[in-house]
Amino acid sequence: MNAKFMTAKDMEVLRRNPLFGGLPDETLNSLIEKSHLVEHGRGKILFLRGEPAKNFFLLLDGWVKMFRDTPDGEQTVISIRKSGDTIAEAAIFFGNNYPASAEVVDRARLLEIPASALLGRIRSDGELAVQLLGALSMRVHNLVHHIEQLQARSTSQRLGDFILGLCEIETGPADVRLPYDKSLIAARLGMKPESLSRALAKLKDIGVTSKGHMVILEAVERLREYCQVAED
């Protein structure tokens, strides 16, 4: 589908992304004109590790898992990308191949951007190059923060932080939809599925309950405070 069918909400997501947020309309329109709007269901492989990095993506809606296969056939989850995140933008600079694989884990809409379109704009637009460096730096910062959480936070804190990251309000009661299987959430948070269940049970004491893919918070601020001070 041609990117001209992007909605006003899609454009809002595009503008919030660090890579595109400050670009002039002319630059944005040039990239959009060469891109495609795609929709995929759960289980769709966007690309596999080792394949030529011909495109990168802006995730407009849904969830995408970045992973690597281990020699014994298991998967290591590297990250989970949500609405507003870019996918594989670094791959087009670090060689000809994707360094990891990407799979849709909940129905997703994406803007598929040819690598040649971005590289062409960078060669003629120094501001875009600067913004790309900033976006990549932010990605590194987020990865470092995630590693720090795995090392310093309890399992219940890690799960609480994850839930807070999905919550769209700052205070009061909230319903939060978990975007994918709990086993995948556990892998993302560096714990076993049974540890995730115990962590979720522990959060009941501060008014956090779950039903299927929904998590109900009695008060967002209580969970935030807990995540700052709780210890296992």
Side-chain angles (χ1 to χ4, degrees):
M1 185 184 302
N2 193 286
K4 69 180 181 181
F5 292 104
M6 289 178 65
T7 66
K9 181 180 178 181
D10 293 336
M11 292 302 298
E12 182 181 339
V13 173
L14 180 72
R15 285 291 189 185
R16 286 202 308 264
N17 182 273
L19 177 59
F20 304 108
L23 296 181
D25 289 342
E26 185 273 333
T27 301
L28 270 183
N29 291 335
S30 175
L31 288 173
I32 291 173
E33 287 173 1
K34 298 175 183 178
S35 304
H36 293 87
L37 190 63
V38 296
E39 298 186 22
H40 296 300
R42 179 178 178 178
K44 171 67 176 181
I45 299 294
L46 296 180
F47 52 81
L48 292 172
R49 180 185 181 189
E51 290 183 345
K54 297 180 179 180
N55 303 294
F56 75 106
F57 303 83
L58 172 68
L59 184 54
L60 298 170
D61 190 36
W63 300 82
V64 171
K65 170 182 69 174
M66 306 296 297
F67 68 95
R68 285 191 177 191
D69 290 318
T70 62
D72 58 2
E74 298 295 324
Q75 282 189 3
T76 298
V77 179
I78 299 172
S79 65
I80 301 294
R81 304 294 168 80
K82 62 183 184 302
S83 174
D85 289 344
T86 44
I87 300 169
E89 72 279 10
I92 63 175
F93 300 102
F94 298 153
N96 296 322
N97 302 320
Y98 292 113
S101 303
E103 177 185 349
V104 175
V105 293
D106 195 10
R107 179 170 292 278
R109 296 175 65 253
L110 306 102
L111 185 65
E112 184 180 270
I113 308 168
S116 58
L118 180 63
L119 292 173
R121 293 301 304 185
I122 286 176
R123 293 187 181 101
S124 61
D125 187 343
E127 181 63 25
L128 179 59
V130 171
Q131 291 206 206
L132 178 61
L133 287 173
L136 294 178
S137 297
M138 181 60 69
R139 178 66 51 79
V140 172
H141 172 78
N142 290 338
L143 287 174
V144 171
H145 177 67
H146 178 65
I147 293 171
E148 289 175 344
Q149 283 191 327
L150 292 181
Q151 295 176 338
R153 296 291 187 93
S154 69
T155 55
S156 53
Q157 282 179 304
R158 277 180 263 158
L159 179 57
D161 279 331
F162 178 81
I163 294 171
L164 288 171
L166 301 177
C167 188
E168 297 182 350
I169 63 175
E170 296 294 324
T171 61
D175 293 344
V176 176
R177 179 179 178 271
L178 297 178
Y180 35 79
D181 292 343
K182 291 180 181 179
S183 60
L184 183 55
I185 296 174
R188 173 65 182 128
L189 297 178
M191 63 182 78
K192 296 183 181 297
E194 55 269 26
S195 299
L196 179 71
S197 296
R198 288 194 293 269
L200 192 55
K202 188 170 184 178
L203 293 179
K204 289 182 179 179
D205 294 339
I206 56 167
V208 179
T209 57
S210 66
K211 184 177 181 181
H213 285 281
M214 295 300 299
V215 174
I216 299 91
L217 283 65
E218 291 183 0
V220 174
E221 58 271 28
R222 285 184 64 192
L223 179 59
R224 183 177 297 108
E225 180 180 357
Y226 174 85
C227 290
Q228 294 171 350
V229 302
E231 295 181 355
D232 273 344

